[in-house]
Amino acid sequence: MGTAEEDDMLKIFYPDNEAESAYSIDYEGLFKKGYRGIIYDVDNTLVPHGAVADQRAIELFSKLRGLGFATALLSNNKEPRVKSFGSQVGSRYIFKAGKPGRAGYAKAMELMGTCPENTLFVGDQLFTDVWGAKRAGIVTYLVRPIHPKEEIQIVLKRQLERVVLFFYHKKQQRLRNEKSRG
């Protein structure tokens, strides 16, 4: 299979951006670019799976409010988990979101009063988080999972994600090489 075919098949899963963590993103710069809403996955994006909001998460959401961002949590988890985290960080939330379906992303934007053009999504999984956000027309940030211990179905998805990310990084390198030559 040639690289053009690989890119065509896999690009629906490619993140628009990658970041080491949700805490290392340049939110001030993104606000200056016109973004006004951020949708977050919770588990392994903001805290380890099942963990309560820590001081870092609470401070991040406080900082985002101070900048003028609206936020929403979008999780396939059950209401008690997502509601608790949302109240700890002071964010709207949607539980049992049905990611990668578009409906949860649309509802999150409605809650925040934003649209795809001024909304970002931050998550740790390609096949639910990134793919769903891209299907909804939202710019995506893929972050490294916070904690390596995960449920078995996620472990299996991570294996497939490695394949997709291999081709994504190969494409990014090819684009950088072309840019440096041209």
Side-chain angles (χ1 to χ4, degrees):
M1 185 185 306
T3 55
E5 292 88 4
E6 291 160 356
D7 286 346
D8 286 344
M9 284 176 33
L10 299 175
K11 70 181 177 184
I12 59 169
F13 301 113
Y14 290 170
D16 297 305
N17 305 279
E18 286 184 288
E20 189 63 33
S21 87
Y23 302 98
S24 66
I25 295 170
D26 177 13
Y27 294 107
E28 293 89 350
L30 291 167
F31 192 84
K32 287 177 185 169
K33 289 181 180 179
Y35 291 100
R36 296 298 180 260
I38 307 172
I39 304 169
Y40 286 95
D41 173 54
V42 178
D43 289 316
N44 253 345
T45 296
L46 294 166
V47 293
H49 189 81
V52 298
D54 57 16
Q55 195 58 38
R56 188 167 71 154
I58 293 166
E59 288 172 5
L60 172 64
F61 280 78
S62 176
K63 172 186 170 182
L64 294 171
R65 280 190 297 279
L67 289 170
F69 277 109
T71 61
L73 304 173
L74 188 67
S75 175
N76 286 343
N77 217 320
K78 295 179 179 135
E79 185 174 19
R81 164 70 178 137
V82 187
K83 180 180 183 180
S84 170
F85 194 92
S87 67
Q88 290 172 319
V89 298
S91 181
R92 296 170 183 94
Y93 64 90
I94 297 168
F95 62 96
K96 289 190 179 178
K99 294 184 290 183
R102 291 185 190 108
Y105 297 89
K107 185 173 181 182
M109 287 185 282
E110 185 181 319
L111 288 174
M112 295 187 300
T114 62
C115 61
E117 294 76 27
N118 66 1
T119 302
L120 301 164
F121 181 85
V122 180
D124 70 301
Q125 292 187 54
L126 285 179
F127 300 131
T128 50
D129 298 334
V130 169
W131 184 35
K134 288 183 69 109
R135 293 175 69 214
I138 301 169
V139 170
T140 60
Y141 274 82
L142 176 69
V143 297
R144 290 185 183 271
I146 289 177
H147 197 275
K149 184 176 183 280
E150 299 181 295
E151 298 167 345
I152 187 66
Q153 69 270 24
I154 295 175
V155 170
L156 296 173
K157 280 195 276 184
R158 295 278 187 219
Q159 304 272 339
L160 295 171
E161 285 181 354
R162 279 193 202 95
V163 173
V164 173
L165 287 172
F166 170 81
F167 288 109
Y168 169 73
H169 291 131
K170 194 168 144 182
K171 177 185 178 187
Q172 295 303 103
Q173 185 61 50
R174 193 170 58 248
L175 293 173
R176 281 192 294 275
N177 292 343
E178 289 170 7
K179 194 175 188 178
S180 69
R181 281 188 297 237

